[in-house]
Amino acid sequence: MSAKAGVAGPFQYGHGAAAFDADNDGWPDLLLTGYNRLVLLHNEPDGAGGRRFVDVTAKSGLATDNLWSTSAGWGDLDGDGYPDLYVAHYADWGFDTNHPPFCTYDGKTRDVCQPRLFKPLPHAVYRNNRDGTFTDITKSLKLRTDGKGIGVLVVDVDGKPDVYAANDTDDNFLYLNKTPPGGPITLEEVGLVAGVARDDRGAANGSMGVDAADFDRTGRPSVIVTNSEGELPALYQNRTAAGGPPRFLYATPSAGVAAVGGVYVGWGAAFADHDLDGWEDLFLVNGHAIRFPSKLDRRQKPLLLRNDGGRFTNITRAGGGYFTAPHNARGLAAGDLDNDGRVDLVVSHLNEPAAVLRNVSPTDGRHWVGLELVGAKNRDVVGARVVVESAGGKQTRFAKGGGSYASTPDRRPVVGLGGRRGEGGHGVLAVGEVRDVRRGRSGRVLAAERGDREGGAHEASAGWSSA
């Protein structure tokens, strides 16, 4: 099947996959990140009524990127209707350039080298030329060059698609989009001033995965970042005042996330409302980066944190069989794979098959609505916001480009409305350049009519079964 679909390769030593509509033709294309090159696969008809991917890297303008790329984010940064690219690059390792002969953590066992032994590589921004090609505009933007990039997320922080980059043992970046109407792409880095560059001790963390959500129902995107052993996942709560510059509070302790402890090496991250109660929960997957850790098993259990009205509770043991066993996980993508209103998970691992986890959580007849957002110009609508009003209150969802670690989630937001049948109606208000978001019945995805399921309420209401 992979060969028939055009994704069998061989390509580079790969890290991530970014699925986005590069040419606005209505079909998602695929960008592969990895060591020494990028690969852009265009989604085209296969001549037999189906679709396949075709390697268009050479003519796309991306073939000149020969650095170590990890994750990529996308969004229409200049307002022309086409998605531009932000590519995170890691470090200057190479057999011929920087290859330490012997790295160890216990003084005798050879292992993967520490990140601090390497210099960071500059990240890159590619402007979409609207003809299937991209132009590297990195030099004109004067980006920071002191971050070993791992995770990238494009999301609206202050009115336009902005860029957050998670870096390994370096300050994380927050680039605000200051592009003037009709002008060139302009980005301003404000991570340290905004409070999202370091932890509460003022230290740069070994950051990997990233996601954003309105976890506290303020209407503003807060940011979660997974970090390394000896550190905590960083939850940056958005405290921006109306009309003011972005300001975030390190809320890992106050929001209950610190209770998981600093024993994990975190990678993929995803906010999603697993039980449809109207509050976005948090999923984190873990696994050690070195081969022979001295204190912990290389494989680590994932984490499931239930959102109880803006504060998180660790309910990992209630998540099902996958959550009770250790794994060496990396990528995490969340999405409603079977259109039943309950968000499922896909996890990639090292030396272990990928896991598809079907959400079988009882939802006690709670309402939900799934939205497929379609832009008037930009089909990926990254940067748009959707506000959903129901009897249970007001919720905000964000159209995001990238996120987690080297993964692409389902871009259709699923919103749990809480309540039960007959407990009030709901409305949907689209904010941003989107269309085709119309008032409809709960328990529906606009693109595919599927009903919700009912089940008994129970504390162990977080269940996934491997599919």
Side-chain angles (χ1 to χ4, degrees):
M1 178 62 72
S2 296
K4 184 178 180 180
V7 296
F11 302 120
Q12 78 278 49
Y13 183 87
H15 279 294
F20 69 107
D21 189 356
D23 55 356
N24 259 358
D25 66 352
W27 297 94
D29 307 299
L30 193 60
L31 180 74
L32 306 180
T33 61
Y35 187 77
N36 211 30
R37 66 180 292 211
L38 293 171
V39 175
L40 181 62
L41 303 177
H42 186 242
N43 191 332
E44 300 181 0
D46 64 0
R51 310 286 300 186
R52 70 185 310 270
F53 289 97
V54 176
D55 189 343
V56 296
T57 310
K59 63 182 181 182
S60 71
L62 300 175
T64 57
D65 192 322
N66 59 2
L67 301 179
W68 184 354
S69 56
T70 50
S71 295
W74 63 92
D76 182 9
L77 301 180
D78 55 5
D80 66 355
Y82 284 74
D84 308 293
L85 284 172
Y86 184 103
V87 178
H89 293 128
Y90 189 58
D92 66 340
W93 176 88
F95 286 112
D96 300 322
T97 57
N98 186 7
H99 183 54
F102 187 82
C103 295
T104 180
Y105 293 84
D106 62 3
K108 58 183 179 180
T109 307
R110 186 175 182 180
D111 210 322
V112 176
C113 291
Q114 297 89 337
R116 296 189 186 277
L117 295 179
F118 303 95
K119 296 179 180 179
L121 294 174
H123 302 190
V125 174
Y126 294 92
R127 186 188 66 230
N128 194 319
N129 298 321
R130 298 181 291 175
D131 60 0
T133 67
F134 291 83
T135 297
D136 186 348
I137 61 170
T138 306
K139 291 184 178 179
S140 68
L141 296 176
K142 298 180 180 180
L143 301 180
R144 290 182 61 171
T145 59
D146 56 343
K148 292 183 284 291
I150 294 286
V152 179
L153 179 69
V154 180
V155 65
D156 173 14
V157 173
D158 70 341
K160 294 181 180 178
D162 306 295
V163 180
Y164 186 90
N167 297 313
D168 190 1
T169 68
D170 298 311
D171 282 358
N172 297 330
F173 303 153
L174 174 59
Y175 287 102
L176 297 184
N177 188 346
K178 298 296 185 179
T179 304
I185 293 174
T186 305
L187 301 176
E188 177 187 356
E189 206 285 309
V190 299
L192 192 60
V193 174
V196 293
R198 302 177 182 177
D199 63 18
D200 58 340
R201 301 168 298 173
N205 294 155
S207 299
M208 263 71 101
V210 57
D211 197 12
D214 179 22
F215 84 93
D216 52 1
R217 287 197 179 186
T218 63
R220 301 184 293 259
S222 296
V223 177
I224 185 71
V225 180
T226 56
N227 291 314
S228 191
E229 178 186 1
E231 302 164 346
L232 294 170
L235 178 63
Y236 300 106
Q237 187 177 27
N238 196 325
R239 293 290 188 88
T240 303
R247 291 291 183 268
F248 292 80
L249 172 71
Y250 184 87
T252 296
S254 60
V257 178
V260 304
V263 299
Y264 297 99
V265 179
W267 297 89
F271 282 106
D273 183 1
H274 84 271
D275 55 2
L276 305 180
D277 67 350
W279 295 87
E280 290 189 88
D281 309 297
L282 185 57
F283 307 89
L284 307 174
V285 297
N286 309 293
H288 224 295
I290 67 176
R291 295 179 181 272
F292 304 104
S294 58
K295 298 180 181 179
L296 304 169
D297 192 328
R298 192 182 185 197
R299 299 178 303 158
Q300 298 182 333
K301 293 180 181 179
L303 292 168
L304 169 56
L305 305 181
R306 186 182 62 213
N307 188 342
D308 294 321
R311 183 175 173 82
F312 292 94
T313 301
N314 188 349
I315 61 167
T316 300
R317 287 184 293 180
Y322 179 84
F323 286 83
T324 63
H327 310 271
N328 203 353
R330 291 297 185 266
L332 168 65
D336 186 5
L337 300 179
D338 52 3
N339 290 333
D340 68 348
R342 291 180 288 190
V343 177
D344 310 296
L345 305 174
V346 180
V347 187
S348 66
H349 308 95
L350 288 185
N351 302 317
E352 180 184 345
V356 179
L357 305 177
R358 182 168 176 255
N359 189 344
V360 295
S361 304
T363 56
D364 195 26
R366 295 179 179 131
H367 296 289
W368 60 273
V369 62
L371 305 171
E372 183 164 3
L373 309 180
V374 182
K377 293 191 302 180
N378 183 358
R379 291 184 178 272
D380 277 323
V381 298
V382 171
R385 301 183 181 209
V386 173
V387 178
V388 176
E389 297 184 45
S390 69
K394 184 182 295 186
Q395 301 181 56
T396 304
R397 296 291 187 270
F398 303 90
K400 298 172 283 191
S404 189
Y405 164 72
S407 305
T408 303
D410 188 345
R411 68 188 186 96
R412 304 171 303 165
V414 175
V415 183
L417 303 177
R420 305 187 183 189
R421 301 187 189 280
E423 292 184 352
H426 74 280
V428 179
L429 172 65
V431 179
E433 190 180 23
V434 296
R435 60 179 172 84
D436 226 14
V437 179
R438 56 188 181 274
R439 181 180 293 273
R441 296 169 55 197
S442 62
R444 295 289 183 271
V445 179
L446 294 185
E449 300 221 333
R450 298 292 177 90
D452 56 344
R453 303 180 183 180
E454 299 182 19
H458 191 269
E459 199 283 330
S461 61
W464 274 262
S465 64
S466 297

